[in-house]
Amino acid sequence: MAHSNGMARGRVPGVLSVDPADAASFSALPLDLEADELLDVVEGYIARGVSVESVFVDLLAPSARRLGQFWEEDECDFLDVTMGLWRIQEVMRQVAVRHPPLGTGGPGLRSALFSPVPGDDHSLGALMLEEIFARNGWQTEALINPKRKELLQIIADRPFDVVGLTVSCDCPNGLLADLISAMRSVSRTPGVQVLIGGRMVNANPAIVEEVGADGTATDARGALALAETLVSRSAFSSDPLA
């Protein structure tokens, strides 16, 4: 699911945002509706002028978090939550295919790789980050359930300005710090920016400094803003004429 190129569509992209009340009403629907029915609801928002980015960040992401809360509070069983999350991911995939980012990628664009921490099989966060960055002009790639060796090999083989890790499971700080250190040591990009996020990090933002990451954000939109700031700052500091 890499977005190195985008295809222009005939339709005008939406500019509206999802209303918080609508997001609250939508949050539990993935438990009750099948993926195609859920997609119809989402396409209704897009038809009314809501941007795809807002659908991802303000509608689907909060719904996924809400399902996680249902599980933690014993309001739903594991199978219900798993199916609900699968439906959200399927809807996001279908929307991405139907409404690809406008514009054309090319050399010189900023690049980013997103992945769950190896051993964490929750890929929705990484896929959502990949979509939001791609829609804002980045060359992007997302991994699903990678092995540690695979993740490090990709970082060693190809240059990325940003690597984002999602941490949904309980990952010991020592293991996460060791992974980030290994990523930096093999990276083809000097000064690569490493972002971490997800349930574990949101619950304890101090983890960022403890494991040697460069920052975190509570959602994909915030991660994009932070990444652009960090990469610009890094490019400026490395410019001998700056």
Side-chain angles (χ1 to χ4, degrees), residues 31 71 74 76-85 121-122:
L31 295 174
W71 164 246
D74 252 354
C76 289
D77 63 28
F78 178 78
L79 179 59
D80 286 338
V81 171
T82 299
M83 287 303 300
L85 291 174
D121 58 2
H122 294 84

Side-chain angles (χ1 to χ4, degrees), residues 65-136:
R65 288 194 292 270
R66 185 61 181 139
L67 295 193
Q69 291 171 356
F70 286 153
W71 164 246
E72 292 171 358
E73 296 166 4
D74 252 354
E75 296 184 29
C76 289
D77 63 28
F78 178 78
L79 179 59
D80 286 338
V81 171
T82 299
M83 287 303 300
L85 291 174
W86 175 84
R87 290 166 184 147
I88 291 173
Q89 185 165 315
E90 178 64 14
V91 167
M92 188 179 73
R93 187 183 72 83
Q94 289 291 337
V95 170
V97 170
R98 295 184 181 193
H99 307 274
L102 300 175
T104 303
L109 291 180
R110 293 171 175 177
S111 58
L113 173 69
F114 300 104
S115 171
V117 170
D120 186 343
D121 58 2
H122 294 84
S123 58
L124 179 62
L127 293 174
M128 186 166 293
L129 284 163
E130 192 263 348
E131 281 292 338
I132 295 302
F133 275 64
R135 290 175 184 280
N136 285 271

Side-chain angles (χ1 to χ4, degrees), residues 169-219:
C169 62
D170 292 329
C171 178
N173 286 8
L175 290 180
L176 186 54
D178 180 70
L179 174 62
I180 291 174
S181 176
M183 288 163 48
R184 293 191 191 280
S185 68
V186 302
S187 175
R188 289 190 59 186
T189 305
V192 61
Q193 303 298 307
V194 179
L195 305 183
I196 61 174
R199 181 183 62 83
M200 178 179 166
V201 184
N202 290 341
N204 181 18
I207 291 175
V208 174
E209 185 173 352
E210 294 170 5
V211 301
D214 294 301
T216 187
T218 57
D219 61 28

